[in-house]
Amino acid sequence: MSGRTPPKQPQNFDALVLHLVGRIPKGCVATYGQIAALAGKPRNSRQVGKILGRLSSKSTVPWHRVVNAQGRISQRAEPHGTESLQRRLLEAEGITFTKSGRIRMMAFAWEPSIEEFLGSRLKS
DNA sequence: ACGATGACGTTAT
DNA sequence: TATAACGCCATCG
């Protein structure tokens, strides 16, 4: 038999990030730093944005549910303007924005259960 | 291989 | 609210 069995749950950072983002409930949001921390690398929030930016349009990962710690939609480097799409998708899920275009994190932030937290680092 | 630069960020001041 | 400093990583010359 094989010496080491391939993991059923994502192990590397990239896959783990996508897995976690996929667990954000509809109508909730998480921050880049939050996802990075859950993935085990609290200082890699920026890397999370990089990963999400590489997603193909075919992906079903709810990338739009990830915003920055200030409750604002982060600016993209490329002038493509996926930002407006992100806001539209969030509003379609019932998330509201303040006049200054900010999300009230206190009301919409995703608070993963302890089980989900453990499940993201260990096997389910 | 090395330093500089930019990026979908975060925190402290 | 605005600005500075920091940290991790990919890309480029």
Side-chain angles (χ1 to χ4, degrees):
Chain A
M1 301 328 217
S2 59
R4 56 183 71 74
T5 28
K8 304 180 185 91
Q9 292 292 137
Q11 291 293 336
N12 52 292
F13 187 69
D14 287 33
L16 189 45
V17 164
L18 297 181
H19 173 75
L20 288 166
V21 173
R23 294 201 69 75
I24 304 174
K26 182 180 175 184
C28 293
V29 293
T31 71
Y32 297 97
Q34 183 182 0
I35 296 299
L38 288 172
K41 297 185 178 181
R43 310 293 176 203
N44 288 40
S45 50
R46 232 164 174 169
Q47 189 59 26
V48 172
K50 190 79 159 193
I51 295 168
L52 295 182
R54 280 186 157 276
L55 288 177
S56 73
S57 51
K58 278 185 64 177
S59 172
T60 59
V61 176
W63 54 271
H64 58 281
R65 294 178 190 151
V66 184
V67 298
N68 63 37
Q70 301 169 3
R72 307 180 110 283
I73 292 175
S74 293
Q75 297 280 131
R76 272 62 167 173
E78 310 225 348
H80 274 60
T82 338
E83 307 139 276
S84 50
L85 170 63
Q86 182 171 7
R87 171 161 179 161
R88 196 176 68 75
L89 291 173
L90 289 175
E91 290 178 326
E93 297 184 355
I95 291 178
T96 61
F97 290 73
T98 67
K99 279 185 282 190
S100 56
R102 215 166 44 71
I103 297 174
R104 295 181 191 289
M105 296 304 284
M106 210 183 292
F108 297 107
W110 173 44
E111 295 168 30
S113 67
I114 181 62
E115 288 186 358
E116 284 174 312
F117 173 73
L118 294 176
S120 68
R121 317 203 67 194
L122 313 172
K123 66 180 284 296
S124 51

